[in-house]
């Protein structure tokens, strides 16, 4: 089983749609959780951290369920510029001091 | 925010030669840096964890004699791909975390093509 698993997609949605991505992790001792965004041929960039209480940043909402070892990202009112690959990232999974990336979920927003 | 600079951004080399990639933390000290490799349409795969002043920790399946890592200072880690082969062609990215913080900052990546 992979340490961090994501649905690879792609998710093809129209502008204005709401889309949700899910991620599961295998190591219950994992410490921190993040969503990163990666554009084609670019380095990943932090979208948001994920807290147990859930957190929101504009159109983006992240949730963490430690009991189920599950992380989610909700994007509301999708924009064309949201098209990218979204990476679920877990710190501490699989060993000490490691950032482990999911395979990423590709999102394509169309007019 | 913190900045990580990676150089070169792109390199083409002949098979059998070695290539060095530098990763610098510009405005913070990084005792630990991470090296990742990403093949087209695949996820970032952690290759090794670079520790300042000590040996790097390599992930299973990564040849330490082929991918030499040096972390001689708190702001610089280097990855040398020795005796490169076409199958080493990939996107290599370094990352560093600030002390006490969760966010990891990434270098711009190095696209290596071995011909």
């Amino acid at each position: 089983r992979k340490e961090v698993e994501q649905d690879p997609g792609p998710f093809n949605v129209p502008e204005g749609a709401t889309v949700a991505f899910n991620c599961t992790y295998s190591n219950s001792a994992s410490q921190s959780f993040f969503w990163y965004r990666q554009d084609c041929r670019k380095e990943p960039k932090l979208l948001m951290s994920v807290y147990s209480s859930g957190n929101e940043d504009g159109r983006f909402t992240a949730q963490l369920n430690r009991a189920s070892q599950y992380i989610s990202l909700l994007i509301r009112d999708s924009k064309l510029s949201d098209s990218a690959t979204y990476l679920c990232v877990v710190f501490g999974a699989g060993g000490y001091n490691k950032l482990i990336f999911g395979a990423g979920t590709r999102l394509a927003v169309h007019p | 925010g913190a900045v990580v600079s990676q150089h070169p951004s792109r390199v083409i080399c002949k098979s059998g030669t070695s290539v060095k990639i530098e990763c610098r933390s510009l405005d913070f000290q990084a005792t630990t840096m991470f090296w990742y490799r990403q093949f087209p349409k695949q996820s970032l795969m952690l290759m090794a964890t670079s520790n300042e002043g000590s040996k790097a920790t390599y992930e299973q399946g990564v040849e330490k004699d082929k991918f030499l890592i040096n972390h001689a200072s708190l702001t610089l880690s280097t990855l040398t791909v020795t005796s490169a082969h076409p199958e080493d062609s990939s996107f290599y990215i370094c990352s560093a975390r600030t002390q006490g913080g969760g966010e990891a900052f990434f270098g711009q990546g190095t696209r290596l093509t071995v011909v």
Side-chain angles (χ1 to χ4, degrees), chain A residues 25 31 33 49-55 62-67:
Chain A
Y25 60 96
Q31 301 165 28
F33 310 89
S49 301
V50 187
Y51 304 117
S52 296
S53 55
N55 48 300
Q63 296 275 356
L64 166 64
N65 184 321
R66 283 190 182 270

Side-chain angles (χ1 to χ4, degrees), chain B residues 94-106:
Chain B
C94 70
S95 172
R97 300 180 79 216
T98 54
Q99 286 185 342
E103 180 177 357
F105 296 91
F106 288 85

Side-chain angles (χ1 to χ4, degrees), chain A residues 39-96:
Chain A
D39 293 290
C40 189
R41 293 176 167 261
K42 299 282 188 181
E43 76 275 19
K45 295 195 175 174
L46 180 68
L47 180 65
M48 58 197 305
S49 301
V50 187
Y51 304 117
S52 296
S53 55
N55 48 300
E56 187 174 308
D57 183 2
R59 299 181 292 109
F60 300 86
T61 301
Q63 296 275 356
L64 166 64
N65 184 321
R66 283 190 182 270
S68 301
Q69 295 177 206
Y70 170 94
I71 304 158
S72 66
L73 175 68
L74 184 75
I75 304 176
R76 291 181 299 278
D77 189 22
S78 298
K79 311 290 184 191
L80 294 176
S81 57
D82 293 334
S83 298
T85 297
Y86 291 83
L87 304 170
C88 175
V89 184
V90 176
F91 177 71
Y96 176 70

Side-chain angles (χ1 to χ4, degrees), chain A residues 89 98-101, chain B residues 6 33-38 44-48 79 90-95 104 106:
Chain A
V89 184
K98 290 183 185 179
L99 272 176
I100 303 297
F101 286 77
Chain B
Q6 187 173 340
M33 290 186 176
F34 304 92
W35 287 97
Y36 293 86
R37 179 168 54 184
Q38 186 176 36
L44 279 81
M45 297 301 297
L46 179 64
M47 298 175 66
L79 168 68
S90 186
F91 190 48
Y92 292 85
I93 309 178
C94 70
S95 172
F106 288 85

Side-chain angles (χ1 to χ4, degrees), chain B:
Chain B
V3 177
V4 174
S5 176
Q6 187 173 340
H7 177 81
S9 59
R10 185 182 298 269
V11 60
I12 300 173
C13 71
K14 289 185 178 180
S15 189
T17 61
S18 295
V19 174
K20 180 185 283 188
I21 304 169
E22 292 188 349
C23 181
R24 293 179 186 275
S25 56
L26 297 185
D27 54 0
F28 66 100
Q29 293 182 331
T31 53
T32 304
M33 290 186 176
F34 304 92
W35 287 97
Y36 293 86
R37 179 168 54 184
Q38 186 176 36
F39 292 105
K41 298 188 178 182
Q42 294 188 26
S43 178
L44 279 81
M45 297 301 297
L46 179 64
M47 298 175 66
T49 302
S50 171
N51 305 298
E52 188 269 333
S54 65
K55 291 183 180 180
T57 304
Y58 289 82
E59 294 301 300
Q60 192 173 10
V62 178
E63 299 174 58
K64 62 180 181 181
D65 294 329
K66 179 169 181 63
F67 298 99
L68 301 179
I69 291 174
N70 184 283
H71 195 151
S73 77
L74 286 171
T75 59
L76 174 64
S77 175
T78 61
L79 168 68
T80 301
V81 182
T82 62
S83 187
H85 290 285
E87 57 265 31
D88 297 325
S89 299
S90 186
F91 190 48
Y92 292 85
I93 309 178
C94 70
S95 172
R97 300 180 79 216
T98 54
Q99 286 185 342
E103 180 177 357
F105 296 91
F106 288 85
Q108 301 92 326
T110 298
R111 192 161 299 281
L112 170 64
T113 303
V114 185
V115 298

